[in-house]
Structure formats: structure tokens, C-alpha cells
Amino acid sequence: LHVGDETFLVGETTGVIEFPTDEIRVDEKPVQSAPQGVFCSIKVPSLIRRGDKLYKFVDADQVETQQ
């Protein structure tokens, strides 16, 4: 996840919230990116709930096929 990535949250009660990632923090320090598996926090535009899922938009040509 990188600052500026287009992301969206989906939740049963929350619905769908689409937003750009403006700020990422790891250990309370601002960073430009957080690799997969690293716990981080991001600034979101509204209330979210436990169990909401975060997704990132990726261009189809950037996706590696799994075989």
C-alpha cells in the first residue's frame, strides 16, 4: 500500500467507501508505503467498523497470474 493509492472499504453496515490513501503510519510514524503483512494505520474519511475489508485498485496489467 502506497500513499496516493486508490482504495476502498467494504462492510455490511459501512457500505462502500472509496478514497485515496492520503496518509499511512507504521509505529505511529508517517511512511510512504507499507508492504503486505505489516500492521499500519491509514486515515479514512468516515467511521469504519471491525470486520470491514480494505481493498486496493490495481491495473489488470500489473496483476501476476498464478499457476
Side-chain angles (χ1 to χ4, degrees), residues 18-63:
E18 188 175 329
F19 61 98
T21 306
D22 294 329
E23 182 179 357
I24 302 173
R25 291 182 174 260
V26 175
D27 294 329
E28 298 182 11
K29 297 182 177 98
V31 295
Q32 290 298 309
S33 66
Q36 185 174 353
V38 172
F39 287 103
C40 66
S41 58
I42 60 172
K43 185 177 179 181
V44 294
S46 63
L47 177 69
I48 61 172
R49 294 162 181 84
R50 183 183 300 265
D52 287 354
K53 305 263 190 272
L54 176 70
Y55 297 92
K56 176 177 123 174
F57 284 107
V58 180
D59 289 331
D61 58 345
Q62 292 179 348
V63 177

Side-chain angles (χ1 to χ4, degrees), residues 5-18:
D5 283 349
E6 195 64 32
T7 55
F8 65 103
L9 286 158
V10 178
E12 189 172 313
T13 305
T14 306
V16 177
I17 303 171
E18 188 175 329

